Amino acid sequence: MLLSSPLLPLAFLLTLAVGQTLQLQEYDFLQFLGLDKMTLPRTFQPVPSILNKIFQDWEAAATAGDWQDLCYVKELGVYGNLLRLVPDQGFFLYLKKPFQDDYCLQKLLYFNLSAIKAKEQLTMAQLRLDLGSNSYYNLGPELELALSVVQEPHKWGQVTPTPGRRFALQSILWPQGALRFSLQDVVQGWNSNPQKNLGLFLEIMVQEGRGSGVNFQLEDICTRLRRSFHASLLVVTLNPEQCQPSSRKRRAAIPVPKVSCKNLCHRHQLFINFKDLGWHKWVIAPKGFMANYCHGDCPFSLTTYLNSSNYAFMQALMHEVDPEVPQATCIPTKLSPISILYQDNNDNVILRHYEDMVVDECGCG
């Protein structure tokens, strides 16, 4: 029988501590991470600065003991506990006559959203187009950018896909840097009916007579633009099952008598190194974390002082009366989350919170 999701991380870490077989527990833990199997990324995707910033902010807050709402991304102003950077898997469309009609670039953008589970609620979908670094010293011509939703599958030999609703038309002075467009409604529709996810059609044209006053060669501009172009989709989702209000409350500190016995229930240090597990090939950050574990005896005489529950005290009392009643055991009484930045089998870069990953306090229960 498989363990329930909230207990999977702890069970896996305790398994590491006692040296039991990892095969089944590793599978369960990967399932908890939302992965079907160990990932082997084909190519390492660049981590956008926004994901790096969010991860570092969460790490700093955790180090300071300032636990924030793990189901709200304040940097983006949206609710969510799972952030994905989905890479573009589309292709450039090459015209028979290069740069005809001042077209500089035509591309089919496609994003594989199959990793998003049905129970995840979409809270944000942002298309990010990188047109090269900003430059104030080498300005090019003014460009016109058009984005449309593709209505019909692109057929072999077809010059351009069949565009549907156009949702963006913007004039920009190149090089512009990164552009962002909200795709909330579009992605919501794709999630409701995956067969409609045929991608986006992007066109970038040079506007005649509206350059920066600097002479430029159209072919050179378009070649540079194609070389520097990069597209990705930032998707934020909320899993209600993982964002329930926690019922755990931190107990008031109970003065513990000075006892030299090392066998009493207490927290032990346990550092999980992802490289030792072979997970460094897909876990981007952190390199590991201090998970800790609980171990030790819960004698009746000291149960009150070992951060125990009332039930543990009564169980210990009954054990003194009837030895067939098992003794209270040393268990975690306070746990805290961590954040993991990793890459899945679809080459998505994912930032996700995981509850109950670090043992902070132990007690008898």
Side-chain angles (χ1 to χ4, degrees):
M1 184 171 112
L2 295 179
L3 297 172
S4 60
S5 293
L7 297 179
L8 288 177
L10 185 59
F12 178 74
L13 299 178
L14 292 178
T15 300
L16 290 178
V18 299
Q20 297 176 6
T21 177
L22 298 181
Q23 185 175 3
L24 178 59
Q25 285 80 1
E26 181 178 69
Y27 172 78
D28 289 341
F29 190 69
L30 291 174
Q31 290 286 306
F32 179 80
L33 290 177
L35 301 173
D36 297 327
K37 58 183 179 180
M38 187 75 73
T39 68
L40 293 173
R42 292 166 291 183
T43 57
F44 283 97
Q45 301 296 326
V47 180
S49 57
I50 183 62
L51 287 191
N52 266 328
K53 183 181 187 306
I54 295 172
F55 176 78
Q56 291 171 4
D57 288 349
W58 288 344
E59 287 280 282
T63 302
D66 180 21
W67 296 112
Q68 305 175 18
D69 185 352
L70 299 184
C71 293
Y72 181 76
V73 188
K74 67 177 184 178
E75 292 84 355
L76 299 174
V78 297
Y79 286 95
N81 66 326
L82 199 159
L83 291 78
R84 290 184 179 92
L85 182 73
V86 185
D88 169 35
Q89 299 180 8
F91 52 87
F92 286 103
L93 301 172
Y94 291 95
L95 303 173
K96 295 180 179 179
K97 296 180 181 180
F99 320 118
Q100 68 178 11
D101 299 327
D102 293 331
Y103 278 102
C104 214
L105 179 151
Q106 289 184 321
K107 193 176 194 298
L108 178 68
L109 306 178
Y110 179 77
F111 303 99
N112 185 353
L113 304 177
S114 60
I116 300 178
K117 308 299 182 185
K119 57 187 174 183
E120 296 179 36
Q121 299 175 1
L122 180 70
T123 61
M124 179 180 176
Q126 185 183 79
L127 175 65
R128 307 165 76 86
L129 303 179
D130 188 354
L131 305 182
S133 302
N134 286 315
S135 174
Y136 298 99
Y137 304 102
N138 188 23
L139 293 177
E142 189 169 355
L143 306 178
E144 184 177 83
L145 182 147
L147 274 167
S148 305
V149 180
V150 178
Q151 279 188 328
E152 298 179 5
H154 184 261
K155 300 177 181 178
W156 180 258
Q158 186 178 358
V159 177
T160 60
T162 304
R165 178 175 63 89
R166 176 177 288 182
F167 64 89
L169 181 63
Q170 182 174 341
S171 294
I172 56 176
L173 191 61
W174 189 79
Q176 174 67 27
L179 299 175
R180 297 173 178 82
F181 302 91
S182 175
L183 287 187
Q184 182 84 6
D185 295 338
V186 175
V187 174
Q188 192 71 58
W190 288 345
N191 282 344
S192 302
N193 189 350
Q195 293 181 347
K196 289 187 177 181
N197 181 7
L198 303 176
L200 306 171
F201 181 43
L202 170 67
E203 296 178 287
I204 298 181
M205 296 156 282
V206 175
Q207 296 188 351
E208 293 183 2
R210 302 183 63 181
S212 61
V214 180
N215 293 326
F216 61 87
Q217 294 293 326
L218 180 60
E219 184 173 352
D220 292 341
I221 292 294
C222 296
T223 301
R224 287 170 52 198
L225 182 60
R226 281 202 185 101
R227 188 181 301 120
S228 61
F229 179 83
H230 179 78
S232 60
L233 183 67
L234 180 61
V235 178
V236 183
T237 59
L238 177 71
N239 188 335
E241 296 179 1
Q242 299 172 345
C243 288
Q244 299 295 331
S246 176
S247 60
R248 295 188 306 272
K249 295 183 179 179
R250 186 169 183 173
R251 308 179 199 275
I254 302 176
V256 179
K258 295 181 179 179
V259 181
S260 59
C261 181
K262 296 182 179 180
N263 294 328
L264 293 180
C265 173
H266 68 282
R267 184 184 66 176
H268 299 257
Q269 288 189 344
L270 172 65
F271 182 78
I272 303 298
N273 190 327
F274 289 140
K275 187 173 183 179
D276 292 341
L277 301 175
W279 294 5
H280 63 292
K281 298 176 182 178
W282 54 276
V283 173
I284 301 171
K287 302 302 181 185
F289 67 102
M290 188 64 72
N292 306 321
Y293 67 98
C294 297
H295 184 70
D297 299 329
C298 293
F300 169 71
S301 58
L302 292 176
T303 302
T304 305
Y305 300 99
L306 294 178
N307 201 23
S308 305
S309 64
N310 293 335
Y311 177 82
F313 177 80
M314 295 303 299
Q315 182 178 355
L317 182 62
M318 287 301 300
H319 176 75
E320 293 295 317
V321 176
D322 183 1
E324 291 188 3
V325 175
Q327 286 186 331
T329 56
C330 186
I331 60 173
T333 56
K334 183 176 181 293
L335 301 106
S336 57
I338 67 168
S339 302
I340 301 181
L341 188 62
Y342 64 95
Q343 192 166 326
D344 69 4
N345 285 312
N346 293 324
D347 290 336
N348 301 325
V349 178
I350 300 176
L351 176 57
R352 185 171 180 176
H353 292 303
Y354 293 98
E355 287 277 8
D356 303 339
M357 295 288 285
V358 176
V359 176
D360 295 324
E361 296 177 6
C362 300
C364 296

